[in-house]
């Protein structure tokens, strides 16, 4: 388990975000799971799409 006092790398953050969002189909589902508003959920899904379309550095 990573040390909570150590700042994660960009790759670790990218991987964790993609893992958390794996299986989420749309904003409605993300809203149900998280309780966040639609605009926030749509932004999160746009970020996921961007991460999937770009390769890690």
């Amino acid at each position: 388990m990573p040390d909570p006092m150590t700042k994660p790398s960009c790759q670790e953050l990218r991987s964790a975000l993609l893992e958390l969002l794996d299986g989420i189909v749309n904003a409605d589902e993300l809203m149900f799971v998280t309780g966040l508003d639609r605009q926030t959920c749509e932004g999160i899904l746009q970020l996921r799409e961007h991460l999937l379309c770009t390769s890690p550095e």
Side-chain angles (χ1 to χ4, degrees):
M1 180 171 207
D3 179 356
M5 299 303 290
T6 303
K7 183 178 176 184
S9 70
C10 288
Q11 180 57 38
E12 289 171 326
L13 289 173
R14 182 183 190 281
S15 296
L17 181 59
L18 290 174
E19 183 179 336
L20 285 171
L21 294 174
D22 185 44
I24 298 293
V25 177
N26 57 40
D28 290 330
E29 187 175 352
L30 188 56
M31 287 170 56
F32 177 77
V33 171
T34 64
L36 296 171
D37 63 90
R38 175 171 295 282
Q39 185 175 4
T40 300
C41 291
E42 288 174 351
I44 291 169
L45 294 178
Q46 287 176 357
L47 175 60
R48 177 182 68 178
E49 289 305 310
H50 174 74
L51 292 175
L52 290 172
C53 292
T54 58
S55 61
E57 295 181 30

